[in-house]
Amino acid sequence: ALITVASYLRDTVKNEQEFRQKVDSYLLGTIYHERKKKKSSMLITNPARSFRYVEAYRIAASRICGRMERKQAQILLVTSVAENEGKSTTAANLALALAQEQKKVLLVDCDFRRPALYKIFDVQDSKVKDFSLVLQEREKAGDIFSKVRGLQLYTAFSKHPVGNPTELISGGMLERVLRSCSKKMDFIILDSPPMGLAVDAEELIRFADAAVFSVRQDAVLAQDINDAVDALNQKEEKVIGCVFN
């Protein structure tokens, strides 16, 4: 009972109504809980996923697409305040949903601290081509990108954590790669570390045209979400909304 009362009294976001009241950002969509079976992918391309789950991501992706096109934006940063808010799954499914709408999409794992996208796509560890090696100038960018079968979706996964991720991001190579790829893609989606753990997202926002937060129900204080939104909007209003998990 005490735990329940304490949870209720925390100033977190517990439903859509509270989101609209407490968070200073647009609600792009709500992804309802989906029961996960062991070794079952949470990607919207998995036939085991429910219609409501898949449609929720497609609606969110459609809204994001519309907002980005109005801003003439191309590079989207997906982040969160804390860990385990569904950030990487959100980035992956938004990329898939946009690709299903005949958009040419590049999904880049820029979480060089705890890369996870290759696990979400169930790529065997031995077959992962490490994007961080490109930024260290140890591999060519063209050798790293992989295409998802049946879609115009290309991926650049990271495999091993690196010791100097902030320096890697700000070194110049990442910006050059993104600008080169933007000439061939409709959208580029960057999966970044949570803002509560590192400043990487604030470095990555310099290269992005827009940003989306993944917000987990009853996980983070509303004030912390608003502070994170403000941090990314310091020089230019880039946050176009949040996906509520």
Side-chain angles (χ1 to χ4, degrees), residues 74-75 106 177-186 188:
Q74 193 175 12
I75 302 176
L106 171 63
V177 170
L178 294 178
R179 296 306 171 196
S180 175
C181 291
S182 66
K183 299 174 184 177
K184 304 173 183 178
M185 299 289 163
D186 295 314
I188 299 174

Side-chain angles (χ1 to χ4, degrees), residues 175-237:
E175 184 174 14
R176 292 197 293 273
V177 170
L178 294 178
R179 296 306 171 196
S180 175
C181 291
S182 66
K183 299 174 184 177
K184 304 173 183 178
M185 299 289 163
D186 295 314
F187 295 110
I188 299 174
I189 296 179
L190 311 179
D191 179 27
S192 87
M195 291 187 64
L197 295 182
V199 297
D200 297 1
E202 294 175 58
E203 289 290 328
L204 288 165
I205 196 64
R206 295 191 294 114
F207 316 133
D209 306 309
V212 166
F213 274 87
S214 178
V215 176
R216 183 180 175 182
Q217 180 188 33
D218 198 23
V220 177
L221 297 178
Q223 184 60 53
D224 291 342
I225 299 170
N226 290 330
D227 288 345
V229 171
D230 290 341
L232 294 190
N233 283 340
Q234 278 187 354
K235 295 182 179 178
E236 182 184 349
E237 192 168 332

Side-chain angles (χ1 to χ4, degrees), residues 2-242:
L2 288 173
I3 293 171
T4 303
V5 171
S7 175
Y8 178 78
L9 292 176
R10 289 181 72 225
D11 190 27
T12 56
V13 181
K14 300 176 180 65
N15 52 54
E16 291 173 298
Q17 182 179 356
E18 285 195 3
F19 182 97
R20 294 186 174 95
Q21 292 172 346
K22 297 178 179 181
V23 180
D24 300 330
S25 188
Y26 180 73
L27 179 59
L28 293 162
T30 300
I31 313 301
Y32 293 97
H33 176 71
E34 182 88 353
R35 188 179 298 276
K36 181 182 179 181
K37 296 180 180 179
K38 192 175 181 180
K39 295 184 179 180
S40 180
S41 167
M42 294 305 292
L43 297 176
I44 60 174
T45 49
N46 182 357
R49 300 279 67 88
S50 69
F51 175 81
R52 182 170 75 162
Y53 179 82
V54 174
E55 280 302 298
Y57 271 115
R58 286 177 176 167
I59 290 170
S62 177
R63 290 171 179 168
I64 289 169
C65 182
R67 285 180 166 245
M68 291 189 68
E69 287 178 346
R70 287 194 292 273
K71 284 172 62 74
Q72 295 184 323
Q74 193 175 12
I75 302 176
L76 176 70
L77 176 72
V78 178
T79 189
S80 62
V81 176
E83 291 184 290
N84 301 318
E85 291 200 75
K87 167 186 61 67
S88 295
T89 300
T90 294
N93 280 327
L94 290 177
L96 285 167
L98 290 169
Q100 288 176 340
E101 292 299 318
Q102 309 306 313
K103 302 294 184 183
K104 201 170 185 180
V105 184
L106 171 63
L107 175 63
V108 184
D109 193 342
C110 291
D111 188 344
F112 302 115
R113 297 174 188 270
R114 295 187 64 181
L117 280 178
Y118 77 94
K119 297 177 184 177
I120 291 172
F121 278 85
D122 197 25
V123 179
Q124 292 181 11
D125 189 77
S126 60
K127 295 183 178 180
V128 176
K129 301 174 182 178
D130 200 329
F131 178 64
S132 66
L133 297 179
V134 174
L135 306 189
Q136 298 172 54
E137 300 187 43
R138 293 164 57 189
E139 290 281 356
K140 294 181 179 179
D143 298 332
I144 296 295
F145 301 139
S146 299
K147 185 176 181 295
V148 175
R149 184 180 298 178
L151 293 171
Q152 289 294 301
L153 173 60
Y154 299 82
T155 58
F157 295 140
S158 295
K159 181 178 179 181
H160 300 296
V162 298
N164 56 342
T166 306
E167 294 177 20
L168 204 64
I169 292 168
S170 59
M173 178 60 76
L174 177 60
E175 184 174 14
R176 292 197 293 273
V177 170
L178 294 178
R179 296 306 171 196
S180 175
C181 291
S182 66
K183 299 174 184 177
K184 304 173 183 178
M185 299 289 163
D186 295 314
F187 295 110
I188 299 174
I189 296 179
L190 311 179
D191 179 27
S192 87
M195 291 187 64
L197 295 182
V199 297
D200 297 1
E202 294 175 58
E203 289 290 328
L204 288 165
I205 196 64
R206 295 191 294 114
F207 316 133
D209 306 309
V212 166
F213 274 87
S214 178
V215 176
R216 183 180 175 182
Q217 180 188 33
D218 198 23
V220 177
L221 297 178
Q223 184 60 53
D224 291 342
I225 299 170
N226 290 330
D227 288 345
V229 171
D230 290 341
L232 294 190
N233 283 340
Q234 278 187 354
K235 295 182 179 178
E236 182 184 349
E237 192 168 332
K238 291 190 175 182
V239 178
I240 59 175
C242 302

